[in-house]
Amino acid sequence: MTLTEQIISILIAAAVTMATRFIPFLIFDQSKELSPYLEELGKFLPAAIMGVLVIYCYRNISFSEPSKALLEIVAGLVTLFIHLWKRNMPLSILVGTGFYMILLNFVG
Amino acid sequence: MRNEARYAFHKTSPVMLGFLFLGASYGIYMHKLGFNFLYPLLMAATIFAGSVEFIIGNLLVQSFQPLTVLVLTALVNSRHIFYGITMLKKYSNTGKLKPILIFGMCDESFSLNATLKIPDNLDHSYVYFYVTAFNYFSWVVGAGLGGLLGGMINLNLAGLDFIMTALFIVLFTEQLKNARTQRDALIGLVFAIICLLFCSKNVFLLVTLVTLVVLFSLNYLIMRRKDDIN
């Protein structure tokens, strides 16, 4: 990507993010109800997208390097269980990433 | 005004700490991708939506795909629309602070401002403002510092890119708390795997997101028709 393309990408992300924040204040009347379709979509998307993004992070997993693939999966499970246990976001990320970085030295 | 700042600081200090740490991780992550500290700093300041910043950073080292950036950002951040609807009333009389409150409405600032029981002797608008501003600057400063530190300290950072995976696993785990979001998160997970098996890695994200919205809408229409018949 060229510098210009990078700047365009960042500006798109910034503009769209701002739009998602400002739109309700511009179009919705505070006394009116939201359409049931939008309300349902608003419940569905945030959860569904988190599942998608986990897979996105694993898209480059390669079974030609089985030990590294296994490490990525195990480190992911460690993160998941730590978070189920402690529910402390920075801690879970720190432990999961630390676990991965340390064991990566042995897997190579 | 000082009392408002003190109250807000007291309430949001755990979030600020988390933001400094996560922001710094994001900065270091960007450094590892090959960007200088201005990238995480400016991206944090302009986009100010953590998970999107990670993914955009990741997309910046691939080929130019503006449509993916647009759809992805819109869908990942569509939750803000629902935050906004929740805050319409609370932010309605905040005057000149209103654009700032909306600009800085991340998950944490929203959930704090939506739930705080602010004492009557404090100016509510300014409490909202300080909560928003403290969180914003913690994230931006963290991201910039992480970008700088990543370049200064000479550590073995192999494997640090796992931070993004860990972040999304944590956000995914949060969805497992209740049955409804657990089902939705698993639907997302399974469809993403299916799309990954059938599409190239470059387009799979976009294909998955569009498929999910289309399937959700079809399902919604069918369910509504059923309800109409009954």
Side-chain angles (χ1 to χ4, degrees):
Chain A
M1 230 189 259
T2 64
L3 180 65
T4 317
E5 289 171 344
Q6 289 179 343
I7 293 173
I8 293 172
S9 302
I10 295 170
L11 287 180
I12 293 174
V16 173
T17 304
M18 278 316 114
T20 60
R21 291 191 174 129
F22 278 90
I23 278 171
F25 292 91
L26 300 176
I27 63 167
F28 289 114
D29 183 341
Q30 63 182 58
S31 58
K32 265 213 209 131
E33 293 273 314
L34 198 60
S35 96
Y37 167 74
L38 277 181
E39 203 158 309
E40 284 298 307
L41 187 64
K43 284 182 197 156
F44 172 73
L45 275 182
I49 285 174
M50 289 315 152
V52 176
L53 291 179
V54 167
I55 299 305
Y56 175 76
C57 293
Y58 279 97
R59 75 195 180 288
N60 288 322
I61 207 163
S62 151
F63 293 97
S64 57
E65 294 173 280
S67 51
K68 199 172 173 222
L70 185 69
L71 173 60
E72 281 182 39
I73 292 169
V74 172
L77 290 173
V78 167
T79 313
L80 186 135
F81 285 119
I82 291 273
H83 195 67
L84 279 178
W85 181 32
K86 291 286 184 187
R87 290 250 179 251
N88 179 334
M89 184 163 167
L91 178 82
S92 313
I93 293 173
L94 191 69
V95 172
T97 308
F99 178 87
Y100 181 79
M101 289 174 75
I102 291 167
L103 288 196
L104 192 65
N105 289 316
F106 300 102
V107 175
Chain B
M1 221 143 88
R2 276 173 75 188
N3 287 335
E4 281 84 2
R6 195 176 301 135
Y7 176 81
F9 185 84
H10 175 69
K11 291 292 177 191
T12 197
S13 48
V15 174
M16 290 171 69
L17 252 174
F19 271 23
L20 273 173
F21 168 77
L22 259 182
S25 317
Y26 168 62
I28 297 173
Y29 174 79
M30 288 296 285
H31 172 77
K32 269 221 64 192
L33 288 180
F35 297 108
N36 72 47
F37 79 99
L38 285 173
Y39 278 82
L41 182 73
L42 294 177
M43 284 170 71
T46 55
I47 304 175
F48 191 56
S51 42
V52 164
E53 289 166 38
F54 269 96
I55 309 171
I56 301 299
N58 192 283
L59 289 172
L60 286 183
V61 294
Q62 301 172 32
S63 60
F64 185 47
Q65 31 189 340
L67 190 63
T68 306
V69 172
L70 190 139
V71 173
L72 182 84
T73 309
L75 289 183
V76 173
N77 285 337
S78 57
R79 65 188 191 285
H80 293 142
I81 295 174
F82 304 93
Y83 297 171
I85 293 165
T86 315
M87 299 308 274
L88 282 175
K89 239 193 179 115
K90 285 202 169 184
Y91 285 174
S92 62
N93 294 317
T94 50
K96 62 182 193 303
L97 297 176
K98 195 171 174 181
I100 303 173
L101 298 177
I102 301 173
F103 175 85
M105 193 174 53
C106 58
D107 303 290
E108 288 74 6
S109 297
F110 158 72
S111 41
L112 266 171
N113 283 341
T115 54
L116 279 181
K117 305 263 180 287
I118 305 168
D120 286 337
N121 60 340
L122 296 180
D123 181 334
H124 286 34
S125 305
Y126 275 93
V127 172
Y128 297 147
F129 167 73
Y130 283 116
V131 166
T132 307
F134 288 153
N135 291 347
Y136 178 81
F137 285 108
S138 307
W139 177 260
V140 175
V141 167
L145 278 181
L148 277 177
L149 282 176
M152 273 156 36
I153 47 175
N154 200 6
L155 280 172
N156 175 12
L157 295 176
L160 190 98
D161 45 352
F162 192 78
I163 273 185
M164 181 160 108
T165 311
L167 169 74
F168 286 118
I169 288 178
V170 166
L171 294 173
F172 174 79
T173 312
E174 286 288 312
Q175 312 303 322
L176 304 180
K177 272 187 207 164
N178 80 60
R180 165 76 196 260
T181 54
Q182 182 177 39
R183 186 201 66 187
D184 296 344
L186 291 175
I187 290 175
L189 194 82
V190 170
F191 269 99
I193 294 174
I194 296 172
C195 291
L196 185 57
L197 291 176
F198 288 100
C199 306
S200 82
K201 276 178 210 163
N202 299 326
V203 295
F204 114 90
L205 189 55
L206 188 60
V207 172
T208 313
L209 295 171
V210 173
T211 311
L212 279 174
V213 173
V214 170
L215 286 177
F216 171 85
S217 307
L218 285 176
N219 180 55
Y220 181 84
L221 280 175
I222 295 167
M223 297 305 273
R224 213 186 55 179
R225 181 152 307 163
K226 250 192 210 159
D227 287 347
D228 286 350
I229 294 167
N230 294 336

